[in-house]
Amino acid sequence: DLAAEASPKRLASASDRQLEVLFQAASRVVFYAHEPVHAALLQRAAQALDARSKLTHEHRHDLYRAWVVTRNFDAANALARSHPDPELQVLPSIPAVEDPGPGRVVVWDPAEDAQALSARIVDRDAPARVVVLSHPRCGFSRRAIAAIEADPALSARLRDALWLAPPNGSLDLHDIQAWNRQHPDARLRYAVAMRDWPQFDSWATPVFYFMREGRVVATVTGWPKEGRARELHQAFARMDGREDP
């Protein structure tokens, strides 16, 4: 039980080795579950290590990534400002938005060339929707977009898809902006939290989810050398109702 292990009493009595084990365990859980409560436990372990002068640059990087992936940009920025480091980038403000309502979710739209994000509400439960998980630093994602743009039929069908960068420990804003300039018909936005898309069973990249009224009816994963054109056309047929899922 990480919460019990991170109680003030247990932290005070733990050995240096036990604190390190706790920190690493909490870090793994954060990047699996993406829940703020686990990032808070990681911070407790970090504070205990820091009190003993055992907190390293690697620990701070892990804590920063935990704040980013759980979307606590204020905490990430506080850490970045107190410990200047090229790998700890100061992040833009999180755009304020009201509850989007049932069946709708918020995604973040990066500015064209400024250090800024804006909120965009999308209809997750639309009659038909394609969501593509992709990232500029993923070689398979780059291979996929090159093949799609070279295929007029696929390019036309995917023009209305929602392209999302999954939550991870780095915002990679400049990489996302560069992708958007190069691929305006596959503009990447940020998924705010995995819990917004409970239908998704994988957040690898690239993954193509074909949805009808909020339900995934077909999934195409990865992009091997031979491509996935046939699988994508089959998935479109399922989403369009021309083939039973």
Short mmCIF file of all heavy atoms in Angstrom, two decimals, residues 146-168:
data_model
loop_
_atom_site.label_atom_id
_atom_site.label_comp_id
_atom_site.label_asym_id
_atom_site.label_seq_id
_atom_site.Cartn_x
_atom_site.Cartn_y
_atom_site.Cartn_z
N ALA A 146 3.21 9.92 -43.18
CA ALA A 146 3.78 10.01 -44.52
C ALA A 146 3.00 9.13 -45.49
O ALA A 146 2.70 9.55 -46.63
CB ALA A 146 5.25 9.59 -44.49
N ALA A 147 2.65 7.91 -45.07
CA ALA A 147 1.90 7.01 -45.94
C ALA A 147 0.48 7.52 -46.17
O ALA A 147 -0.05 7.43 -47.29
CB ALA A 147 1.87 5.61 -45.32
N ILE A 148 -0.14 8.06 -45.14
CA ILE A 148 -1.51 8.57 -45.27
C ILE A 148 -1.55 9.75 -46.23
O ILE A 148 -2.42 9.83 -47.10
CB ILE A 148 -2.06 8.95 -43.88
CG1 ILE A 148 -2.32 7.69 -43.05
CG2 ILE A 148 -3.34 9.78 -44.00
CD1 ILE A 148 -2.53 7.95 -41.58
N GLU A 149 -0.60 10.65 -46.08
CA GLU A 149 -0.59 11.83 -46.96
C GLU A 149 -0.29 11.46 -48.41
O GLU A 149 -0.66 12.20 -49.33
CB GLU A 149 0.42 12.85 -46.45
CG GLU A 149 -0.02 13.51 -45.14
CD GLU A 149 0.98 14.48 -44.56
OE1 GLU A 149 2.18 14.34 -44.89
OE2 GLU A 149 0.57 15.37 -43.78
N ALA A 150 0.36 10.31 -48.62
CA ALA A 150 0.65 9.85 -49.98
C ALA A 150 -0.51 9.06 -50.59
O ALA A 150 -0.44 8.68 -51.76
CB ALA A 150 1.92 9.00 -49.97
N ASP A 151 -1.54 8.81 -49.80
CA ASP A 151 -2.70 8.02 -50.25
C ASP A 151 -3.92 8.94 -50.28
O ASP A 151 -4.49 9.24 -49.24
CB ASP A 151 -2.93 6.86 -49.28
CG ASP A 151 -4.03 5.91 -49.71
OD1 ASP A 151 -5.04 6.39 -50.24
OD2 ASP A 151 -3.90 4.70 -49.49
N PRO A 152 -4.35 9.40 -51.44
CA PRO A 152 -5.45 10.38 -51.50
C PRO A 152 -6.72 9.89 -50.83
O PRO A 152 -7.41 10.69 -50.17
CB PRO A 152 -5.65 10.58 -53.01
CG PRO A 152 -4.34 10.24 -53.62
CD PRO A 152 -3.79 9.13 -52.78
N ALA A 153 -7.05 8.61 -50.98
CA ALA A 153 -8.30 8.10 -50.40
C ALA A 153 -8.22 8.13 -48.87
O ALA A 153 -9.16 8.61 -48.20
CB ALA A 153 -8.58 6.69 -50.90
N LEU A 154 -7.13 7.63 -48.31
CA LEU A 154 -6.99 7.64 -46.86
C LEU A 154 -6.89 9.06 -46.32
O LEU A 154 -7.48 9.40 -45.28
CB LEU A 154 -5.76 6.84 -46.44
CG LEU A 154 -5.91 5.34 -46.28
CD1 LEU A 154 -4.60 4.74 -45.80
CD2 LEU A 154 -7.04 5.00 -45.32
N SER A 155 -6.14 9.88 -47.01
CA SER A 155 -5.98 11.26 -46.56
C SER A 155 -7.33 11.97 -46.49
O SER A 155 -7.62 12.69 -45.52
CB SER A 155 -5.04 12.00 -47.51
OG SER A 155 -4.82 13.32 -47.07
N ALA A 156 -8.17 11.74 -47.49
CA ALA A 156 -9.49 12.38 -47.49
C ALA A 156 -10.36 11.86 -46.36
O ALA A 156 -11.06 12.62 -45.68
CB ALA A 156 -10.17 12.14 -48.84
N ARG A 157 -10.33 10.54 -46.10
CA ARG A 157 -11.16 9.96 -45.05
C ARG A 157 -10.73 10.39 -43.66
O ARG A 157 -11.54 10.53 -42.75
CB ARG A 157 -11.14 8.43 -45.12
CG ARG A 157 -11.83 7.76 -46.28
CD ARG A 157 -13.35 7.93 -46.36
NE ARG A 157 -14.11 8.03 -45.15
CZ ARG A 157 -14.97 7.10 -44.71
NH1 ARG A 157 -15.12 5.96 -45.38
NH2 ARG A 157 -15.68 7.29 -43.63
N LEU A 158 -9.42 10.61 -43.48
CA LEU A 158 -8.90 10.94 -42.16
C LEU A 158 -8.81 12.45 -41.92
O LEU A 158 -8.36 12.88 -40.86
CB LEU A 158 -7.53 10.30 -41.96
CG LEU A 158 -7.56 8.78 -41.73
CD1 LEU A 158 -6.17 8.19 -41.87
CD2 LEU A 158 -8.14 8.46 -40.35
N ARG A 159 -9.26 13.24 -42.88
CA ARG A 159 -9.14 14.69 -42.74
C ARG A 159 -9.95 15.21 -41.55
O ARG A 159 -9.61 16.21 -40.94
CB ARG A 159 -9.57 15.37 -44.03
CG ARG A 159 -9.23 16.86 -44.08
CD ARG A 159 -9.29 17.40 -45.50
NE ARG A 159 -8.21 16.85 -46.31
CZ ARG A 159 -8.37 16.32 -47.53
NH1 ARG A 159 -9.58 16.25 -48.07
NH2 ARG A 159 -7.33 15.87 -48.20
N ASP A 160 -11.04 14.53 -41.23
CA ASP A 160 -11.88 14.97 -40.11
C ASP A 160 -11.58 14.23 -38.81
O ASP A 160 -12.31 14.38 -37.83
CB ASP A 160 -13.36 14.77 -40.47
CG ASP A 160 -13.80 15.67 -41.62
OD1 ASP A 160 -13.27 16.79 -41.74
OD2 ASP A 160 -14.66 15.24 -42.43
N ALA A 161 -10.53 13.43 -38.81
CA ALA A 161 -10.18 12.69 -37.59
C ALA A 161 -9.66 13.65 -36.52
O ALA A 161 -9.16 14.74 -36.82
CB ALA A 161 -9.13 11.63 -37.90
N LEU A 162 -9.78 13.22 -35.28
CA LEU A 162 -9.21 13.95 -34.15
C LEU A 162 -7.86 13.31 -33.82
O LEU A 162 -7.82 12.17 -33.38
CB LEU A 162 -10.14 13.88 -32.94
CG LEU A 162 -9.63 14.52 -31.65
CD1 LEU A 162 -9.43 16.03 -31.82
CD2 LEU A 162 -10.59 14.22 -30.49
N TRP A 163 -6.79 14.04 -34.04
CA TRP A 163 -5.45 13.54 -33.77
C TRP A 163 -5.03 14.03 -32.39
O TRP A 163 -5.06 15.24 -32.12
CB TRP A 163 -4.47 14.04 -34.83
CG TRP A 163 -4.69 13.44 -36.20
CD1 TRP A 163 -5.73 13.69 -37.05
CD2 TRP A 163 -3.84 12.51 -36.87
NE1 TRP A 163 -5.58 12.96 -38.20
CE2 TRP A 163 -4.44 12.22 -38.12
CE3 TRP A 163 -2.64 11.87 -36.54
CZ2 TRP A 163 -3.88 11.34 -39.04
CZ3 TRP A 163 -2.07 11.00 -37.45
CH2 TRP A 163 -2.68 10.73 -38.67
N LEU A 164 -4.67 13.08 -31.53
CA LEU A 164 -4.35 13.42 -30.14
C LEU A 164 -2.96 12.93 -29.76
O LEU A 164 -2.58 11.79 -30.07
CB LEU A 164 -5.36 12.78 -29.18
CG LEU A 164 -6.78 13.31 -29.18
CD1 LEU A 164 -7.62 12.52 -28.19
CD2 LEU A 164 -6.82 14.80 -28.85
N ALA A 165 -2.23 13.78 -29.07
CA ALA A 165 -0.98 13.38 -28.42
C ALA A 165 -1.34 12.86 -27.04
O ALA A 165 -1.98 13.58 -26.26
CB ALA A 165 -0.02 14.56 -28.31
N PRO A 166 -0.96 11.63 -26.71
CA PRO A 166 -1.33 11.08 -25.39
C PRO A 166 -0.66 11.85 -24.25
O PRO A 166 0.39 12.46 -24.44
CB PRO A 166 -0.80 9.64 -25.45
CG PRO A 166 -0.61 9.35 -26.91
CD PRO A 166 -0.25 10.65 -27.53
N PRO A 167 -1.25 11.82 -23.07
CA PRO A 167 -0.58 12.41 -21.91
C PRO A 167 0.72 11.68 -21.63
O PRO A 167 0.76 10.45 -21.61
CB PRO A 167 -1.58 12.18 -20.76
CG PRO A 167 -2.89 11.89 -21.42
CD PRO A 167 -2.56 11.23 -22.72
N ASN A 168 1.79 12.43 -21.46
CA ASN A 168 3.05 11.83 -21.04
C ASN A 168 3.82 12.83 -20.20
O ASN A 168 3.31 13.91 -19.88
CB ASN A 168 3.87 11.31 -22.24
CG ASN A 168 4.25 12.41 -23.21
OD1 ASN A 168 4.57 13.53 -22.82
ND2 ASN A 168 4.23 12.10 -24.50
#
